[in-house]
Every structure is written in C-alpha cells, then in structure tokens.
C-alpha cells in the first residue's frame, strides 16, 4: 500500500490549509449553532458577542488569538487523526485484529470469486452464441467492471471495499508489466510530469477530505447534548464521506494505473533499462527491474542501454 508515500509527500501549506479549512469551518459553525440553541438561542449568542465591546482591546485581541489557535489546533488534530484513519479504511489494520481482518477478507474473497464465476458464465453465453442477448452483454460488461475493484490474486484481497479498490489498482501494473507498485512507484514519481503529479496529489487529497469530513462528523456527536439537531449534521457528514470515498479512491486508482501505463518507459530510459520490444518482454523486464530496485540484483544478467535521453 502506498498511503505512507502520499502522507509523507511534501505539499504547500496553503494547499493543505485550503483542503482542511472547509470541513473545519462547517464543524465550528455547527458547534456554535448548537451552543446557541442550548443556551438561549441566537439572541443570547449575539449578546455575548456584543459584550466583548465592554472589554479592552487587548482582551479582545487575546480572545481572538485564543479562538484562532483553538480552530487551528483542531484542524491539525483532525489532520493527524485522518492520516491514522485512512490506512484503516484501506484495510491496513493492526496485527491484533488478525482474526477479524481474515473474516472480512474471506467475505470479499468469496464475493470476488463469485463475480469471476458469474463473469465466466456470461462470457460463455455471449461468445458461445451467434446472437447473444442484450442483457447478457450488458451483464458481462458490468461484471467485468465490478471485477476490476478486486485484486487479480485472491490472496491480496483486503478486508475493506475501498482497500480492495486501491489494491486492485496497485496490483495491475504488476500483472501487466511485472512492476511492483510499492517498489517502483517512488522512482516513477521522480520522472512524472508536474501536471501528472498535481493530478495525483489532488486526487489523493480528495480522499483525505472525504475521510476528514467523517472524522469531523464523529466529533460533532458529543455536542448533541446541546441539541439533537447536531446528530442530523453529523449524519449528513458521515453519509457524504461514506458515499464520496469509493468514487474518489477509484479515480485515484485509475490515475495511478495510468501513470504506469504512460510513463514507465520514461523510468526505463532514466535507469538505462532495456525497453521491451514486444508485449511478451514487458513482464520479464518489469520483474527484473522490480528485483533490481528492491535487492540490487537480477536473476539474469541485464545490460544497461544508453537511450540517448537517459542519465549516463
């Protein structure tokens, strides 16, 4: 899994602030509204704010600074929590959850195996008939799309839905090119165009935003003691995060896979690695490159090639 790589990727402070300030602002607005509802309504809140005019400018400044620090501190706290929650949602669970993790992973494996079986039956019906039914063709295409959300190898299946979607995207470069994403990706990143890097970073940031919205929503629950209406806001936030996360993970996975599809040759050139001359050579050379980057060795001798555009 590549979450640690993305979490460690340096980003501009302004971009990070913009990404997390929206959910934070909504959180504090809801909290303020809940407090007002439970303590005399908006009139009481307005009176409290107006009473600040009776205090010195210094005290007003101190109150303002404390409020800003509290808001900024909450944003940083939620950002830290979000970074802990993202791997959990992706299926990277602590070792002590092994039995539960295996239970859920088994359910997803059974689901993936069932999809494979149904897809094969649909393929037999479509290609085994001179005039296949439209519903069979549509079902075959739908099943093929659903199968892409699971890793090709069932032993790689994760215990969460979005974890399987991301693992499937990470595993396809290995299936197609012999390139292990966790090994090759940090090197491939260095040769990607800035526009591609920006798209990937933005897409991963959207995943983080969905998760942070869920974290903020959970933090709202204690404030329901002031008014049960807070639970509605928390529910809306959780629903938004839950519904938006799979689509955003799938979009990121497509971009990740596309980066390998389009730019793996650039990495070969930079590393003076032989370029595959035909499809049959892809997996062999990719596996050798993965082993070389991971261990510094190859099973068979590899001759470096000066492509004319690589580093010598």
């Amino acid at each position: 899994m590549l979450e640690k790589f993305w979490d460690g990727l340096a980003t501009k402070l302004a971009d990070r602030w913009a990404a997390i300030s929206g959910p934070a602002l909504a959180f504090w607005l809801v909290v303020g509204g809940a407090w007002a509802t439970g303590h005399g309504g908006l009139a009481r809140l307005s009176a409290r704010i107006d009473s600040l005019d009776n205090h010195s400018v210094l005290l007003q400044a101190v109150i303002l600074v404390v409020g800003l620090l509290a808001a900024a501190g909450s944003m940083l706290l939620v950002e830290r929590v979000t970074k802990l929650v993202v791997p959990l949602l992706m299926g990277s669970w602590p070792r002590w959850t092994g039995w539960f993790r295996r239970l859920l992973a088994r359910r997803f494996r059974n689901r993936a195996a069932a999809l494979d079986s149904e897809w094969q039956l649909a393929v037999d019906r479509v290609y085994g008939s001179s005039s296949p039914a439209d519903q069979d063709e549509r079902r075959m295409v739908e099943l093929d799309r659903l199968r892409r959300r699971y890793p090709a190898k069932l032993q790689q299946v994760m215990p969460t839905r979005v974890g399987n979607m991301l693992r499937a995207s990470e595993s396809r470069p290995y299936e197609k090119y012999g390139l292990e994403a966790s090994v090759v990706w940090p090197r491939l990143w260095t040769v990607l165009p800035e526009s591609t890097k920006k798209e990937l970073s933005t897409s991963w940031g959207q995943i983080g935003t969905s998760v942070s919205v869920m974290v903020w929503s959970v933090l709202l629950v204690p404030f329901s003691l002031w008014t049960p209406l807070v639970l509605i806001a928390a529910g809306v936030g959780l629903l938004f995060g839950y519904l938006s996360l799979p689509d955003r993970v799938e979009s990121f996975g497509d971009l990740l896979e596309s980066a390998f599809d389009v730019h793996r040759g650039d990495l070969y050139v930079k590393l003076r690695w032989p370029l595959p001359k035909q499809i049959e050579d892809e997996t062999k050379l990719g596996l050798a490159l993965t082993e070389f980057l991971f261990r510094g060795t190859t099973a068979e001798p590899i001759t470096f090639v000066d492509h004319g555009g690589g580093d010598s």
Side-chain angles (χ1 to χ4, degrees):
M1 303 293 280
L2 301 176
E3 305 96 74
K4 290 184 179 180
F5 173 84
W6 292 101
D7 286 343
L9 186 64
T11 56
K12 296 178 181 178
L13 182 59
D15 293 340
R16 289 176 55 209
W17 186 270
I20 64 179
S21 59
L25 178 61
F27 172 85
W28 286 111
L29 285 175
V30 172
V31 170
W35 185 92
T37 302
H39 294 80
L42 293 177
R44 179 74 178 277
L45 178 61
S46 178
R48 287 289 186 93
I49 295 175
D50 291 340
S51 67
L52 293 177
D53 293 336
N54 299 325
H55 299 288
S56 66
V57 175
L58 178 60
L59 181 58
Q60 293 179 31
V62 170
I63 293 175
L64 177 61
V65 170
V66 170
L68 291 174
L69 288 176
S74 66
M75 292 168 63
L76 292 176
L77 175 62
V78 169
E79 187 182 18
R80 291 289 185 91
V81 173
T82 297
K83 288 183 177 181
L84 296 176
V85 173
V86 167
L88 296 179
L89 292 176
M90 298 302 172
S92 298
W93 294 359
R95 185 171 298 177
W96 56 267
T97 64
W99 68 273
F100 188 55
R101 184 184 188 280
R102 288 191 294 272
L103 175 65
L104 293 181
R106 187 182 305 118
R107 290 184 59 188
F108 280 111
R109 277 197 299 271
N110 293 338
R111 190 175 302 175
L115 286 173
D116 281 340
S117 299
E118 187 179 355
W119 175 79
Q120 188 59 58
L121 291 174
V123 169
D124 293 341
R125 289 195 300 270
V126 170
Y127 291 101
S129 172
S130 58
S131 56
D134 291 342
Q135 60 266 29
D136 286 338
E137 292 183 332
R138 288 195 298 269
R139 184 56 177 165
M140 182 185 70
V141 173
E142 180 185 5
L143 288 169
D144 206 17
R145 179 178 59 82
L146 293 175
R147 289 170 67 245
R148 281 180 56 85
R149 297 179 178 179
Y150 293 91
K153 296 180 180 178
L154 292 182
Q155 61 266 31
Q156 294 182 326
V157 168
M158 305 296 288
T160 66
R161 177 188 176 190
V162 292
N164 281 310
M165 294 169 67
L166 185 59
R167 177 58 64 86
S169 299
E170 294 174 2
S171 66
R172 279 193 283 272
Y174 182 83
E175 299 298 327
K176 291 190 292 186
Y177 312 122
L179 298 173
E180 177 63 47
S182 61
V183 175
V184 177
W185 180 251
R187 284 84 173 180
L188 181 63
W189 175 264
T190 64
V191 302
L192 293 180
E194 288 301 321
S195 58
T196 303
K197 291 181 179 180
K198 184 176 181 180
E199 289 182 7
L200 284 161
S201 299
T202 299
S203 182
W204 184 257
Q206 290 175 344
I207 293 174
T209 298
S210 292
V211 177
S212 70
V213 168
M214 289 191 282
V215 173
W216 284 113
S217 300
V218 171
L219 293 177
L220 276 177
V221 173
F223 297 99
S224 62
L225 295 175
W226 289 335
T227 172
L229 294 176
V230 171
L231 294 178
I232 298 177
V236 170
L238 283 171
L239 185 62
F240 168 81
Y242 177 79
L243 294 179
S244 65
L245 185 59
D247 288 340
R248 291 179 172 183
V249 170
E250 188 170 26
S251 296
F252 173 79
D254 289 342
L255 287 173
L256 179 70
E257 183 181 359
S258 297
F260 278 93
D261 293 338
V262 176
H263 299 289
R264 69 187 185 283
D266 298 333
L267 180 64
Y268 285 8
V269 169
K270 287 292 185 181
L271 294 176
R272 297 183 298 160
W273 205 253
L275 288 171
K277 296 180 179 180
Q278 51 191 8
I279 293 178
E280 291 75 11
D281 297 334
E282 280 276 9
T283 302
K284 179 180 178 181
L285 289 171
L287 288 172
L289 179 59
T290 296
E291 182 181 358
F292 175 72
L293 293 177
F294 186 66
R295 303 183 186 279
T297 60
T298 57
E300 298 180 4
I302 294 290
T303 302
F304 288 124
V305 178
D306 184 2
H307 299 284
D311 295 333
S312 57

